[in-house]
Amino acid sequence: NGRMFGLLLSRVGRARCGRFYGLMLGIAAGCSDPSSRSPSTVPQKAALSSSSATQAGDASRAAWYPNQPQLDPSVVADMSFGPVFTTQLQGQIYAQPLVSNGTLLIVTEDNQVYGLDPDNGAVRWSRDFGTPFDAADLDCGDLSPHIGITSTPVVDESSNVMYLVSKRYESGESGDAIWEMQGLDVTSGESVSGFPVVIAGTADNDPDQVFTPTTLLQRPGLLLLDGVVYAAFGAICDHPPWTGWVAGIATSGTLAALWAAESGDDKTDGGGIWQSGGGLVSDGPDTILFATGNGGSAEGCVDGSAPPATLGEAIVRLHVQPDSSLQPIDFFMPYDATELDDWDGDLGSGAPIALPSAYFGTPDHPNLVVHIGKQGYLYLLDGDDLGGIGNADDGGDAVLQRLGPYGGVWGQAAAWPGEGGFVYLATASGGGISSGTSGS
């Protein structure tokens, strides 16, 4: 049930500490007829591409595909638009299918990986990465019966290698689990040198914080950034400890970084990175952006440039350091983050997207980020100054706009830069409730 909203970007202002910032997201009445679009209002489309190598199109996760000009609304609405083939595979599919080098890539919860012919669905190659984890071992029905490969992989098209993360039993068909990063040749499905890599150890930012593979789920889409593949984790059904993690594995086959969202003397369970499958975002050099769920949060007024050690219910920006470790350099938490934590109102049920800077923004705010979670408020953030917590004059959110509530979201928004700029989102609840089953 739920609703789909289209939000139109228009320029106005917002107050923060006596100053005005430009841009507002406002609800648009609806999409205009494609036939009425003029060339001046539609961004120029790139040449047709048969490639889709990462979740939601690119590292902005804006889900706008300018390399697919033939996928026009008039084509989709035509009666001839429909299924091309059906191929039976083993296991549930939560990850987004990818296409690279003429191969359709599919991963499943049974730890199966397939390379298909994208024209007829014929299986060219397949791989099996061991017995997937049984969700019943932790009495969790959120994702069942198996947990194997859940997140969307990423393809390094310069080397023709696909990277994915799989969960299996360390030995046999029961007991403790391990997470492995796999690197596969797209054409043959064969493992490349240096892989698989086991993800394990203690946090670079807190040696007392230990990665617990058995209780963790790796849901967000993978990010390839400067020769390192990043994967984010949260817990299964909030099974303690449900700390959020970001792991970086170099394409050479080594563990480059392991960062925990909760660290320091005041750390607690929480800060899981889930995002309903939305990928880790990168909107600039050496930077990673994501949302977290329930857990320890800051209170009062904290500047965005001074992120706390406990980062639950937050939008977090990490910077890749020269030694490959990860350092938080900016954050945003809603002023009512503690209340969200009390009723399981995860900010991180949604995933942030970076709006394409060539079409959105102003000279003062060229880099914009959009996010919405369970509470149903849509936040328009300055990507260069996320806002911290409690920094508005009234103690509220120092963001460009807080709109809604429109209904809770378990997913990510999508952007269309034509006709003034639209952001689309689909709601799954009335907002203000932790369940996603009461559509509105």
Side-chain angles (χ1 to χ4, degrees):
N1 294 320
R3 295 172 290 182
M4 174 71 80
F5 288 91
L7 303 167
L8 174 65
L9 281 169
S10 59
R11 298 184 182 184
V12 292
R14 60 102 167 167
R16 179 187 173 196
C17 301
R19 300 177 301 222
F20 277 89
Y21 288 64
L23 287 180
M24 182 183 78
L25 276 170
I27 298 179
C31 304
S32 63
D33 185 340
S35 64
S36 68
R37 299 173 185 162
S38 67
S40 63
T41 62
V42 179
Q44 184 176 359
K45 298 172 180 175
L48 178 65
S49 171
S50 59
S51 174
S52 179
T54 191
Q55 193 270 336
D58 59 32
S60 75
R61 313 303 181 184
W64 175 51
Y65 288 81
N67 61 346
Q68 302 295 334
Q70 293 182 8
L71 195 62
D72 187 88
S74 62
V75 175
V76 176
D78 191 90
M79 292 296 293
S80 63
F81 186 83
V84 176
F85 60 79
T86 299
T87 301
Q88 189 69 40
L89 305 177
Q90 179 185 333
Q92 294 175 312
I93 300 170
Y94 278 76
Q96 176 181 328
L98 301 177
V99 179
S100 181
N101 196 26
T103 301
L104 174 60
L105 303 164
I106 308 290
V107 299
T108 83
E109 295 295 350
D110 277 11
N111 273 337
Q112 304 297 309
V113 184
Y114 298 90
L116 307 183
D117 185 313
D119 294 321
N120 58 30
V123 177
R124 293 174 175 169
W125 57 260
S126 64
R127 292 291 304 275
D128 182 330
F129 288 110
T131 302
F133 186 77
D134 189 337
D137 286 3
L138 293 176
D139 192 25
C140 179
D142 281 3
L143 197 169
S144 65
H146 299 148
I147 301 173
I149 308 167
T150 309
S151 70
T152 301
V154 65
V155 179
D156 183 352
E157 297 198 287
S158 67
S159 62
N160 199 40
V161 176
M162 173 177 65
Y163 298 94
L164 60 98
V165 177
S166 58
K167 184 174 188 175
R168 65 173 175 85
Y169 288 107
E170 188 172 7
S171 177
E173 298 184 358
S174 64
D176 293 333
I178 63 172
W179 285 99
E180 295 175 305
M181 177 78 75
Q182 312 285 349
L184 307 181
D185 180 272
V186 168
T187 304
S188 67
E190 295 297 318
S191 296
V192 299
S193 177
F195 289 85
V197 175
V198 175
I199 301 172
T202 60
D204 299 331
N205 56 324
D206 187 343
D208 293 328
Q209 195 72 282
V210 180
F211 188 82
T212 57
T214 299
T215 61
L216 291 174
L217 177 68
Q218 201 283 296
R219 184 70 183 100
L222 304 186
L223 170 68
L224 175 63
L225 181 65
D226 298 328
V228 178
V229 182
Y230 294 95
F233 297 79
I236 303 169
C237 285
D238 286 351
H239 193 288
W242 63 82
T243 301
W245 293 83
V246 177
I249 294 84
T251 55
S252 59
T254 59
L255 183 65
L258 194 57
W259 178 88
E262 299 280 337
S263 62
D265 294 338
D266 297 326
K267 63 177 174 285
T268 183
D269 286 340
I273 308 168
W274 167 37
Q275 301 190 161
S276 299
L280 293 173
V281 173
S282 183
D283 56 358
D286 300 322
T287 187
I288 303 169
L289 195 70
F290 55 86
T292 67
N294 297 337
S297 304
E299 295 184 20
C301 179
V302 181
D303 191 76
S305 62
T310 55
L311 285 162
E313 303 288 10
I315 307 295
V316 182
R317 183 180 295 282
L318 297 180
H319 189 264
V320 182
Q321 304 299 294
D323 64 356
S324 297
S325 65
L326 301 172
Q327 177 69 36
I329 59 171
D330 198 4
F331 82 104
F332 164 70
M333 288 179 188
Y335 75 92
D336 55 352
T338 301
E339 294 178 24
L340 297 182
D341 191 41
D342 288 342
W343 65 265
D344 194 32
D346 297 275
L347 188 70
S349 70
I353 68 169
L355 297 180
S357 58
Y359 305 104
F360 294 88
T362 68
D364 289 338
H365 306 283
N367 302 310
L368 301 176
V369 173
V370 168
H371 183 80
I372 186 170
K374 284 185 183 180
Q375 193 179 25
Y377 284 101
L378 188 140
Y379 296 94
L380 178 64
L381 308 172
D382 185 334
D384 300 315
D385 178 9
L386 295 177
I389 183 171
N391 280 305
D393 287 343
D394 60 359
D397 298 320
V399 296
L400 298 178
Q401 281 291 312
R402 179 181 188 253
L403 300 170
Y406 300 119
V409 169
W410 279 250
Q412 66 185 69
W416 159 243
E419 303 159 306
F422 282 78
V423 170
Y424 295 90
L425 56 97
T427 66
S429 78
I433 57 173
S434 59
S435 171
T437 60
S438 57
S440 59

